[in-house]
Amino acid sequence: MKFHGTPLDGAYVIEPEPRGDERGWFQRVFCEREMADAGMEGRFVQVNNSFNAEAGTLRGLHYQLPPSPEVKIIRCISGALWDCIVDLRPDSATYLGWHAVELTGENRLAFYVPRGFAHGFVTLRPNTETLYLASEFYDPKSERGVRWNDPKFGITWPVEGIVISEKDAKWPDFDEDFHGVESLRGI
């Protein structure tokens, strides 16, 4: 696996290295040892799978506060999505910065999202399926979200006509107190 840094501190794009022969190919998509050698966390307790029938479906931007902040690895296994993260760690040099990566079933890339980042994606094709690993169990008491189109972040989403849940559409404008960013200091 190859790990490519992004403009946001601690976030990586993971590129698998397929090995093939006349039968097809094989590739490693996760290796705890390689990730540790690259300075990333590699303990995961939950694997989540989402399917989105329509292009333009948006999920996020979600994160969890302490004691349950999570690392995620996201991979699109069919279709295509635009995966976006926002750095919410107040002591980070990239605080409130965002970065996005196009993940597709064909490019097989994965996105490593550190603790203290909000994460979300929008599907670029119908019938898009995503698989992601999470380092912490879902904790509804720790759950938070930031609004996908909050002007504070200035995210330039690549599609219009967003299909979004009522819950995700109603996250309030960014507020350091409500969003608990002080608790993300030092993560």
Side-chain angles (χ1 to χ4, degrees):
M1 296 185 308
K2 295 178 184 174
F3 303 107
H4 304 283
T6 71
L8 301 182
D9 187 36
Y12 294 89
V13 173
I14 302 171
E15 179 185 358
E17 297 180 282
R19 310 274 190 244
D21 59 25
E22 66 279 352
R23 299 169 296 168
W25 53 265
F26 172 88
Q27 67 184 11
R28 186 176 314 177
V29 295
F30 171 77
C31 178
E32 183 178 15
R33 185 178 303 133
E34 286 184 45
M35 292 182 65
D37 289 347
M40 293 182 269
E41 295 186 46
R43 177 189 167 271
F44 296 93
V45 299
Q46 204 169 287
V47 178
N48 302 311
N49 187 216
S50 73
F51 174 79
N52 302 279
E54 295 183 47
T57 300
L58 191 141
R59 292 182 183 261
L61 298 158
H62 307 134
Y63 64 103
Q64 292 188 165
L65 294 173
S68 304
E70 56 191 344
V71 173
K72 294 179 183 176
I73 297 178
I74 298 90
R75 183 163 181 253
C76 179
I77 56 178
S78 66
L81 59 95
W82 192 80
D83 203 74
C84 184
I85 59 175
V86 177
D87 187 351
L88 298 178
R89 303 168 301 173
D91 53 353
S92 169
T94 57
Y95 179 56
L96 301 184
W98 66 272
H99 183 70
V101 176
E102 187 170 320
L103 305 176
T104 71
E106 295 81 21
N107 72 19
R108 297 184 188 91
L109 298 175
F111 204 5
Y112 176 87
V113 181
R115 296 176 198 280
F117 281 72
H119 166 258
F121 63 82
V122 65
T123 57
L124 302 174
R125 294 186 210 154
N127 302 316
T128 293
E129 189 171 1
T130 307
L131 191 72
Y132 60 97
L133 288 72
S135 66
E136 298 291 334
F137 295 106
Y138 172 66
D139 179 4
K141 292 180 209 152
S142 298
E143 179 186 27
R144 289 289 188 284
V146 294
R147 196 163 37 83
W148 66 280
N149 60 354
D150 188 325
K152 179 79 170 182
F153 308 120
I155 299 170
T156 308
W157 293 89
V159 297
E160 294 187 25
I162 299 292
V163 177
I164 189 168
S165 73
E166 183 176 334
K167 179 180 178 179
D168 285 346
K170 287 187 174 183
W171 286 114
D173 283 343
F174 182 72
D175 173 86
E176 288 186 348
D177 291 330
F178 171 82
H179 288 98
V181 297
E182 190 57 36
S183 69
L184 300 173
R185 188 175 296 281
I187 289 182

